[in-house]
Amino acid sequence: MVRTPLTPEERLRGERLGRLLREARGARSMVEIAASAGISAETLRKIETGRAPTPAFFTVAALAGALGLSMDELLTRCAPEPEVAVPLAG
């Protein structure tokens, strides 16, 4: 199976997700959170570092539950920044 290259937007979204998960984890260990979510610590490490920028929905949902985050919060905090329209000089 050939994997389609990720777009820059997908990479950025993955980086934002990883940063948010790291912040939410705080001082708790990666092993503790991964076990609570039912995933491996290596999978969590890849997500947090952006090496797995498009994790499966159920993986994200399990991590959100383990960290006490809502899916709505994840969505809004990982969504792309709105583009600012620049007026054309005329």
Side-chain angles (χ1 to χ4, degrees):
M1 178 171 128
V2 176
R3 189 171 191 152
T4 306
L6 297 175
T7 65
E9 160 62 29
E10 289 169 324
R11 282 193 200 93
L12 286 173
R13 188 175 54 231
E15 290 171 10
R16 286 190 294 266
L17 174 63
R19 188 170 37 254
L20 173 60
L21 295 176
R22 272 193 313 276
E23 289 171 4
R25 183 167 56 84
R28 293 177 284 180
S29 79
M30 193 174 282
V31 172
E32 172 191 346
I33 297 303
S36 178
I39 64 172
S40 71
E42 182 58 22
T43 297
L44 179 54
R45 183 181 339 279
K46 286 179 181 177
I47 295 168
E48 283 189 358
T49 60
R51 287 188 6 239
T54 56
F57 172 82
F58 292 104
T59 300
V60 175
L63 284 168
L67 293 167
L69 298 170
S70 73
M71 292 300 285
D72 286 338
E73 182 178 5
L74 282 178
L75 177 64
T76 57
R77 293 190 54 193
C78 292
E81 298 293 324
E83 292 185 25
V84 177
V86 178
L88 298 173

Coordinates of all heavy atoms in Angstrom, one line a residue:
M1 N 0.8 -1.2 0.0 CA 0.0 0.0 0.0 C 0.9 1.2 0.0 O 1.8 1.4 0.8 CB -0.9 0.0 1.2 CG -1.8 1.2 1.4 SD -2.9 0.9 2.7 CE -2.7 2.4 3.6
V2 N 0.6 2.1 -0.9 CA 1.4 3.4 -1.0 C 0.7 4.4 -0.2 O -0.5 4.6 -0.4 CB 1.5 3.8 -2.5 CG1 2.2 5.1 -2.6 CG2 2.2 2.8 -3.3
R3 N 1.4 5.1 0.6 CA 0.8 6.1 1.5 C 1.0 7.5 0.8 O 2.0 7.8 0.4 CB 1.5 6.1 2.8 CG 0.9 7.0 3.8 CD 1.5 6.8 5.2 NE 0.6 7.4 6.1 CZ 0.4 7.1 7.3 NH1 1.1 6.1 7.8 NH2 -0.4 7.7 8.1
T4 N -0.1 8.2 0.8 CA -0.1 9.5 0.2 C 0.7 10.5 1.1 O 0.4 10.4 2.3 CB -1.6 10.0 0.1 OG1 -2.3 9.1 -0.7 CG2 -1.6 11.4 -0.6
P5 N 1.6 11.3 0.6 CA 2.3 12.2 1.4 C 1.4 13.2 2.2 O 0.3 13.6 1.6 CB 3.2 13.0 0.4 CG 3.2 12.1 -0.8 CD 1.9 11.3 -0.8
L6 N 1.8 13.5 3.4 CA 0.9 14.4 4.2 C 1.1 15.8 3.6 O 2.2 16.2 3.2 CB 1.4 14.4 5.6 CG 1.2 13.1 6.3 CD1 1.8 13.1 7.7 CD2 -0.3 12.7 6.4
T7 N 0.0 16.6 3.7 CA 0.1 18.0 3.3 C 0.7 18.8 4.5 O 0.8 18.3 5.6 CB -1.3 18.6 3.1 OG1 -2.0 18.5 4.3 CG2 -2.0 17.8 2.0
P8 N 1.2 20.0 4.2 CA 1.8 20.8 5.3 C 0.7 21.0 6.4 O 1.1 21.1 7.6 CB 2.2 22.1 4.6 CG 2.4 21.7 3.2 CD 1.5 20.6 2.9
E9 N -0.5 21.2 6.0 CA -1.6 21.4 7.0 C -1.7 20.2 7.9 O -1.9 20.3 9.1 CB -2.9 21.7 6.2 CG -4.2 21.4 7.0 CD -4.3 22.3 8.2 OE1 -3.8 23.5 8.2 OE2 -5.0 21.9 9.2
E10 N -1.7 19.0 7.3 CA -1.8 17.8 8.1 C -0.6 17.7 9.1 O -0.8 17.3 10.3 CB -1.9 16.5 7.3 CG -3.2 16.4 6.5 CD -3.1 15.3 5.4 OE1 -2.1 15.2 4.8 OE2 -4.2 14.7 5.3
R11 N 0.6 18.0 8.7 CA 1.7 18.0 9.6 C 1.6 19.0 10.7 O 1.8 18.7 11.9 CB 3.0 18.3 8.8 CG 3.5 17.2 8.0 CD 4.9 17.5 7.5 NE 5.2 16.6 6.4 CZ 5.0 16.9 5.1 NH1 4.6 18.1 4.8 NH2 5.3 16.0 4.1
L12 N 1.1 20.2 10.4 CA 0.9 21.2 11.4 C -0.1 20.8 12.4 O 0.0 21.0 13.6 CB 0.5 22.6 10.8 CG 1.6 23.3 10.1 CD1 1.1 24.5 9.4 CD2 2.7 23.7 11.1
R13 N -1.2 20.2 11.9 CA -2.3 19.7 12.8 C -1.7 18.6 13.7 O -2.0 18.6 14.9 CB -3.5 19.2 12.0 CG -4.7 18.9 12.8 CD -5.9 18.5 12.0 NE -5.6 17.4 11.1 CZ -5.8 17.4 9.8 NH1 -6.4 18.4 9.3 NH2 -5.5 16.4 9.1
G14 N -0.9 17.7 13.2 CA -0.3 16.7 14.0 C 0.6 17.3 15.1 O 0.7 16.8 16.2
E15 N 1.4 18.3 14.7 CA 2.2 19.0 15.7 C 1.4 19.7 16.8 O 1.8 19.6 18.0 CB 3.1 20.0 15.0 CG 4.2 19.4 14.1 CD 4.9 20.4 13.3 OE1 4.8 21.6 13.5 OE2 5.7 20.0 12.4
R16 N 0.3 20.3 16.4 CA -0.5 20.9 17.4 C -1.2 19.9 18.4 O -1.2 20.1 19.6 CB -1.7 21.7 16.7 CG -1.2 23.0 16.1 CD -2.3 23.9 15.7 NE -3.1 23.4 14.6 CZ -2.9 23.6 13.3 NH1 -1.9 24.4 13.0 NH2 -3.6 23.0 12.4
L17 N -1.6 18.8 17.8 CA -2.1 17.7 18.6 C -1.1 17.2 19.6 O -1.4 17.0 20.8 CB -2.7 16.6 17.8 CG -3.1 15.3 18.5 CD1 -4.3 15.6 19.4 CD2 -3.5 14.2 17.5
G18 N 0.1 16.9 19.1 CA 1.2 16.4 20.0 C 1.5 17.4 21.1 O 1.7 17.0 22.3
R19 N 1.6 18.7 20.8 CA 1.9 19.7 21.8 C 0.8 19.8 22.9 O 1.0 19.8 24.1 CB 2.0 21.1 21.1 CG 2.5 22.2 22.0 CD 2.9 23.4 21.3 NE 2.1 23.8 20.1 CZ 2.5 23.6 18.8 NH1 3.7 23.1 18.6 NH2 1.7 24.0 17.9
L20 N -0.5 19.7 22.4 CA -1.6 19.7 23.3 C -1.6 18.5 24.3 O -1.8 18.6 25.5 CB -2.9 19.8 22.5 CG -4.2 19.6 23.3 CD1 -4.3 20.8 24.4 CD2 -5.4 19.6 22.4
L21 N -1.3 17.3 23.7 CA -1.3 16.1 24.5 C -0.2 16.2 25.6 O -0.3 15.8 26.7 CB -1.2 14.9 23.7 CG -2.4 14.6 22.7 CD1 -2.1 13.4 21.8 CD2 -3.6 14.4 23.5
R22 N 1.0 16.7 25.1 CA 2.1 16.8 26.1 C 1.8 17.8 27.2 O 2.1 17.5 28.4 CB 3.4 17.4 25.4 CG 4.3 16.3 24.7 CD 5.6 16.9 24.3 NE 5.5 18.1 23.5 CZ 5.3 18.2 22.2 NH1 5.1 17.1 21.5 NH2 5.3 19.4 21.7
E23 N 1.2 18.9 26.9 CA 0.8 19.9 27.9 C -0.2 19.3 28.8 O -0.1 19.5 30.1 CB 0.2 21.1 27.2 CG 1.2 22.0 26.5 CD 0.6 23.1 25.7 OE1 -0.7 23.3 25.7 OE2 1.3 23.8 25.0
A24 N -1.2 18.6 28.3 CA -2.3 18.0 29.1 C -1.7 16.9 30.0 O -2.2 16.7 31.2 CB -3.4 17.4 28.3
R25 N -0.7 16.2 29.5 CA -0.1 15.1 30.3 C 0.7 15.6 31.5 O 0.7 15.1 32.6 CB 0.9 14.3 29.4 CG 1.5 13.1 30.1 CD 2.2 12.1 29.2 NE 3.1 12.7 28.3 CZ 4.4 12.9 28.6 NH1 4.9 12.6 29.8 NH2 5.3 13.4 27.8
G26 N 1.3 16.8 31.3 CA 2.0 17.5 32.4 C 3.1 16.6 33.0 O 3.9 16.1 32.3
A27 N 3.1 16.4 34.3 CA 4.1 15.6 35.0 C 3.9 14.1 35.0 O 4.7 13.4 35.4 CB 4.3 16.1 36.4
R28 N 2.7 13.8 34.5 CA 2.4 12.3 34.5 C 3.3 11.6 33.5 O 3.6 12.2 32.4 CB 0.9 12.1 34.2 CG 0.0 12.6 35.3 CD -1.5 12.4 35.0 NE -1.8 13.5 34.0 CZ -3.0 13.7 33.5 NH1 -4.0 12.8 33.8 NH2 -3.3 14.7 32.7
S29 N 3.6 10.4 33.7 CA 4.5 9.7 32.8 C 3.8 9.3 31.6 O 2.5 9.0 31.5 CB 5.1 8.4 33.5 OG 4.1 7.4 33.5
M30 N 4.6 9.2 30.5 CA 4.0 8.7 29.2 C 3.5 7.3 29.3 O 2.4 7.0 28.8 CB 5.2 8.8 28.2 CG 4.7 8.7 26.8 SD 6.1 8.9 25.7 CE 6.3 10.7 25.7
V31 N 4.2 6.4 30.1 CA 3.8 5.1 30.3 C 2.4 5.0 31.0 O 1.5 4.2 30.6 CB 4.8 4.3 31.1 CG1 4.3 2.9 31.4 CG2 6.1 4.2 30.3
E32 N 2.2 5.8 32.0 CA 0.9 5.9 32.7 C -0.2 6.2 31.8 O -1.3 5.6 31.8 CB 1.1 6.9 33.9 CG -0.2 7.1 34.6 CD -0.1 8.3 35.6 OE1 1.0 8.8 35.9 OE2 -1.2 8.8 36.0
I33 N -0.1 7.3 31.0 CA -1.1 7.8 30.2 C -1.4 6.8 29.1 O -2.5 6.5 28.7 CB -0.8 9.2 29.6 CG1 -0.7 10.2 30.8 CG2 -1.8 9.6 28.6 CD1 -2.0 10.3 31.6
A34 N -0.3 6.3 28.5 CA -0.5 5.3 27.4 C -1.2 4.1 27.9 O -2.2 3.6 27.2 CB 0.9 4.9 26.8
A35 N -0.9 3.6 29.0 CA -1.6 2.4 29.6 C -3.0 2.7 29.9 O -3.9 1.9 29.6 CB -0.9 1.9 30.9
S36 N -3.3 3.9 30.4 CA -4.7 4.3 30.7 C -5.5 4.4 29.4 O -6.7 4.0 29.4 CB -4.7 5.6 31.4 OG -6.0 6.0 31.6
A37 N -4.9 4.8 28.3 CA -5.6 4.9 27.0 C -5.6 3.6 26.2 O -6.2 3.5 25.2 CB -4.9 6.0 26.2
G38 N -4.8 2.6 26.7 CA -4.8 1.3 26.0 C -3.9 1.3 24.8 O -4.2 0.5 23.8
I39 N -2.9 2.1 24.7 CA -1.9 2.2 23.6 C -0.5 2.0 24.2 O -0.3 2.1 25.4 CB -2.1 3.5 22.8 CG1 -1.6 4.7 23.7 CG2 -3.5 3.7 22.2 CD1 -1.5 6.0 22.9
S40 N 0.4 1.8 23.3 CA 1.8 1.7 23.8 C 2.4 3.0 24.0 O 2.0 4.0 23.4 CB 2.6 0.9 22.7 OG 2.9 1.7 21.6
A41 N 3.4 3.0 24.9 CA 4.1 4.3 25.2 C 4.8 4.8 23.9 O 4.9 6.0 23.7 CB 5.1 4.1 26.3
E42 N 5.3 3.9 23.0 CA 5.9 4.3 21.8 C 4.9 5.0 20.9 O 5.3 6.0 20.2 CB 6.5 3.1 21.1 CG 7.3 3.4 19.8 CD 8.4 4.4 20.0 OE1 8.9 4.6 21.1 OE2 8.7 5.1 19.0
T43 N 3.7 4.5 20.8 CA 2.7 5.2 20.0 C 2.4 6.6 20.5 O 2.4 7.5 19.7 CB 1.4 4.4 20.0 OG1 1.6 3.1 19.4 CG2 0.2 5.1 19.2
L44 N 2.3 6.7 21.8 CA 2.1 8.1 22.4 C 3.3 8.9 22.1 O 3.1 10.1 21.8 CB 1.8 8.0 23.9 CG 1.7 9.3 24.7 CD1 0.5 10.1 24.0 CD2 1.4 9.0 26.1
R45 N 4.5 8.4 22.2 CA 5.7 9.2 21.9 C 5.7 9.7 20.5 O 5.9 10.9 20.2 CB 6.9 8.3 22.2 CG 8.2 9.0 22.0 CD 9.5 8.2 22.2 NE 9.3 7.0 23.0 CZ 9.3 6.9 24.3 NH1 9.4 8.0 25.0 NH2 9.1 5.7 24.9
K46 N 5.3 8.8 19.6 CA 5.2 9.2 18.1 C 4.2 10.3 17.9 O 4.4 11.3 17.1 CB 4.9 8.0 17.3 CG 6.1 7.1 17.1 CD 5.7 5.9 16.3 CE 6.9 4.9 16.1 NZ 6.5 3.7 15.3
I47 N 3.0 10.2 18.6 CA 2.0 11.2 18.4 C 2.5 12.5 19.0 O 2.3 13.6 18.4 CB 0.7 10.8 19.1 CG1 0.1 9.5 18.3 CG2 -0.4 11.9 19.1 CD1 -1.0 8.8 19.0
E48 N 3.0 12.5 20.2 CA 3.5 13.7 20.9 C 4.6 14.4 20.1 O 4.7 15.6 20.2 CB 3.9 13.4 22.3 CG 2.8 13.2 23.3 CD 3.3 13.1 24.7 OE1 4.5 13.2 25.0 OE2 2.4 13.0 25.6
T49 N 5.4 13.7 19.4 CA 6.5 14.3 18.7 C 6.2 14.6 17.3 O 7.0 15.2 16.6 CB 7.8 13.4 18.8 OG1 7.5 12.1 18.1 CG2 8.3 13.2 20.2
G50 N 5.0 14.3 16.8 CA 4.6 14.6 15.5 C 5.0 13.6 14.5 O 4.8 13.8 13.3
R51 N 5.7 12.5 14.9 CA 6.1 11.4 14.0 C 4.9 10.6 13.5 O 5.0 9.9 12.5 CB 7.1 10.6 14.6 CG 8.5 11.3 14.7 CD 9.6 10.4 15.1 NE 9.4 9.0 15.3 CZ 9.6 8.3 16.4 NH1 10.0 8.9 17.5 NH2 9.4 7.0 16.4
A52 N 3.8 10.7 14.2 CA 2.5 10.0 13.8 C 1.4 11.1 13.8 O 0.6 11.2 14.7 CB 2.2 8.9 14.8
P53 N 1.5 12.0 12.8 CA 0.6 13.2 12.7 C -0.9 12.9 12.5 O -1.7 13.8 12.7 CB 1.2 14.1 11.7 CG 1.9 13.1 10.7 CD 2.4 12.0 11.6
T54 N -1.2 11.7 12.0 CA -2.6 11.4 11.8 C -3.0 10.1 12.5 O -3.4 9.1 11.8 CB -2.9 11.3 10.2 OG1 -2.0 10.3 9.7 CG2 -2.6 12.6 9.5
P55 N -3.1 10.1 13.8 CA -3.4 8.9 14.5 C -4.9 8.6 14.3 O -5.7 9.5 13.9 CB -3.2 9.3 16.0 CG -3.2 10.8 16.0 CD -2.8 11.3 14.7
A56 N -5.3 7.3 14.5 CA -6.6 6.9 14.4 C -7.6 7.6 15.3 O -7.2 8.0 16.5 CB -6.7 5.4 14.6
F57 N -8.8 7.8 14.9 CA -9.8 8.5 15.7 C -9.9 7.9 17.1 O -9.9 8.6 18.1 CB -11.2 8.5 15.0 CG -12.3 9.0 15.9 CD1 -12.5 10.4 16.0 CD2 -13.1 8.2 16.6 CE1 -13.5 10.9 16.8 CE2 -14.1 8.7 17.5 CZ -14.3 10.1 17.6
F58 N -10.0 6.6 17.2 CA -10.2 5.9 18.5 C -9.0 6.0 19.4 O -9.1 6.1 20.6 CB -10.6 4.4 18.3 CG -12.0 4.3 17.7 CD1 -12.2 4.0 16.4 CD2 -13.1 4.6 18.5 CE1 -13.4 3.9 15.8 CE2 -14.4 4.5 17.9 CZ -14.6 4.2 16.6
T59 N -7.8 6.2 18.8 CA -6.6 6.4 19.6 C -6.7 7.8 20.2 O -6.4 8.0 21.4 CB -5.3 6.3 18.7 OG1 -5.3 5.0 18.2 CG2 -4.1 6.6 19.5
V60 N -7.1 8.8 19.4 CA -7.2 10.2 19.9 C -8.3 10.2 21.0 O -8.1 10.9 22.0 CB -7.5 11.1 18.8 CG1 -7.7 12.5 19.3 CG2 -6.3 11.2 17.8
A61 N -9.4 9.6 20.8 CA -10.5 9.6 21.7 C -10.0 8.9 23.0 O -10.4 9.4 24.1 CB -11.7 8.8 21.2
A62 N -9.3 7.8 23.0 CA -8.8 7.2 24.2 C -7.8 8.1 24.9 O -7.9 8.1 26.2 CB -8.1 5.8 23.8
L63 N -7.0 8.7 24.2 CA -6.0 9.7 24.9 C -6.7 10.8 25.5 O -6.4 11.3 26.6 CB -5.0 10.2 23.9 CG -3.9 9.2 23.5 CD1 -3.1 9.6 22.3 CD2 -3.0 8.9 24.7
A64 N -7.7 11.4 24.8 CA -8.5 12.5 25.4 C -9.2 12.0 26.7 O -9.1 12.8 27.7 CB -9.6 12.9 24.4
G65 N -9.7 10.8 26.7 CA -10.4 10.3 27.9 C -9.3 10.2 29.0 O -9.6 10.5 30.2
A66 N -8.2 9.6 28.7 CA -7.1 9.4 29.7 C -6.6 10.7 30.3 O -6.2 10.8 31.4 CB -6.0 8.6 29.1
L67 N -6.7 11.8 29.5 CA -6.1 13.1 29.9 C -7.2 14.0 30.4 O -6.9 15.2 30.8 CB -5.4 13.7 28.7 CG -4.1 13.0 28.3 CD1 -3.6 13.5 27.0 CD2 -3.0 13.2 29.4
G68 N -8.5 13.6 30.3 CA -9.6 14.5 30.8 C -9.9 15.6 29.8 O -10.3 16.7 30.3
L69 N -9.6 15.4 28.6 CA -9.9 16.4 27.5 C -11.2 16.0 26.8 O -11.4 14.8 26.6 CB -8.8 16.5 26.5 CG -7.4 16.9 27.1 CD1 -6.3 16.7 26.0 CD2 -7.4 18.4 27.5
S70 N -11.9 17.0 26.3 CA -13.1 16.7 25.5 C -12.6 16.6 24.0 O -11.7 17.3 23.7 CB -14.2 17.7 25.7 OG -13.8 18.9 25.1
M71 N -13.4 15.9 23.2 CA -13.0 15.9 21.8 C -13.3 17.2 21.2 O -12.6 17.6 20.3 CB -13.9 14.8 21.1 CG -13.5 13.4 21.5 SD -11.8 13.0 21.1 CE -11.9 12.8 19.4
D72 N -14.3 18.0 21.7 CA -14.5 19.3 21.2 C -13.3 20.2 21.5 O -12.9 21.0 20.6 CB -15.7 19.9 21.9 CG -17.0 19.4 21.4 OD1 -17.1 18.8 20.2 OD2 -18.1 19.5 22.1
E73 N -12.7 20.1 22.7 CA -11.5 20.9 23.0 C -10.4 20.5 22.1 O -9.7 21.4 21.6 CB -11.1 20.7 24.4 CG -10.0 21.5 24.9 CD -9.6 21.3 26.3 OE1 -10.2 20.5 27.0 OE2 -8.7 22.1 26.8
L74 N -10.2 19.3 21.8 CA -9.1 18.8 20.9 C -9.3 19.4 19.5 O -8.4 19.9 18.9 CB -9.0 17.3 20.8 CG -8.4 16.6 22.0 CD1 -8.4 15.1 21.7 CD2 -7.0 17.0 22.1
L75 N -10.6 19.3 19.1 CA -10.9 19.8 17.7 C -10.6 21.3 17.6 O -9.9 21.8 16.7 CB -12.3 19.6 17.4 CG -12.8 20.1 16.0 CD1 -12.1 19.4 14.9 CD2 -14.3 19.9 15.9
T76 N -11.1 22.1 18.6 CA -10.9 23.6 18.5 C -9.4 24.0 18.6 O -8.9 24.9 18.0 CB -11.7 24.3 19.5 OG1 -11.5 23.9 20.8 CG2 -13.2 24.1 19.2
R77 N -8.7 23.2 19.5 CA -7.3 23.6 19.8 C -6.3 23.1 18.7 O -5.2 23.6 18.6 CB -6.9 23.2 21.1 CG -7.6 24.0 22.2 CD -7.2 23.8 23.6 NE -5.8 24.0 23.8 CZ -5.1 23.7 24.9 NH1 -5.7 23.1 25.8 NH2 -3.8 24.0 25.0
C78 N -6.8 22.1 17.9 CA -5.9 21.6 16.9 C -6.3 22.1 15.5 O -5.6 21.8 14.5 CB -5.9 20.0 16.9 SG -5.1 19.4 18.4
A79 N -7.4 22.8 15.4 CA -7.8 23.3 14.1 C -6.8 24.3 13.6 O -6.1 25.0 14.3 CB -9.2 23.9 14.2
P80 N -6.8 24.5 12.3 CA -5.9 25.5 11.7 C -6.3 26.9 12.1 O -7.4 27.2 12.4 CB -6.0 25.3 10.2 CG -7.3 24.6 10.0 CD -7.6 23.8 11.2
E81 N -5.2 27.7 12.2 CA -5.5 29.1 12.5 C -6.3 29.7 11.3 O -6.0 29.4 10.1 CB -4.1 29.9 12.6 CG -3.3 29.3 13.7 CD -3.9 29.6 15.1 OE1 -4.5 30.7 15.3 OE2 -3.7 28.8 16.0
P82 N -7.2 30.6 11.6 CA -8.0 31.2 10.5 C -7.1 32.1 9.7 O -6.2 32.8 10.2 CB -9.1 32.0 11.2 CG -8.6 32.1 12.6 CD -7.7 31.0 12.9
E83 N -7.2 32.0 8.4 CA -6.4 32.9 7.5 C -7.0 34.3 7.5 O -8.2 34.5 7.6 CB -6.5 32.3 6.1 CG -5.8 31.0 5.9 CD -5.8 30.5 4.5 OE1 -5.8 31.4 3.5 OE2 -5.7 29.3 4.3
V84 N -6.0 35.2 7.5 CA -6.4 36.6 7.6 C -6.4 37.1 6.1 O -5.4 37.0 5.4 CB -5.4 37.4 8.4 CG1 -5.8 38.9 8.4 CG2 -5.4 36.9 9.8
A85 N -7.5 37.7 5.7 CA -7.6 38.3 4.4 C -6.8 39.5 4.3 O -6.9 40.4 5.1 CB -9.1 38.5 4.0
V86 N -6.0 39.6 3.2 CA -5.2 40.8 3.0 C -5.8 41.6 1.9 O -6.0 41.0 0.8 CB -3.7 40.4 2.6 CG1 -2.9 41.7 2.4 CG2 -3.1 39.6 3.8
P87 N -6.2 42.8 2.1 CA -6.9 43.6 1.1 C -5.9 43.8 -0.1 O -4.7 44.0 0.1 CB -7.3 44.9 1.7 CG -6.6 45.0 3.0 CD -6.1 43.6 3.3
L88 N -6.4 43.8 -1.3 CA -5.6 44.0 -2.5 C -5.5 45.5 -2.7 O -6.4 46.3 -2.5 CB -6.3 43.4 -3.7 CG -6.4 41.9 -3.7 CD1 -7.3 41.5 -4.9 CD2 -5.1 41.2 -3.7
A89 N -4.3 45.9 -3.0 CA -4.0 47.3 -3.3 C -4.6 47.7 -4.6 O -4.4 46.9 -5.6 CB -2.5 47.6 -3.2
G90 N -5.3 48.7 -4.7 CA -5.9 48.9 -6.0 C -5.8 50.3 -6.5 O -5.9 50.9 -7.4

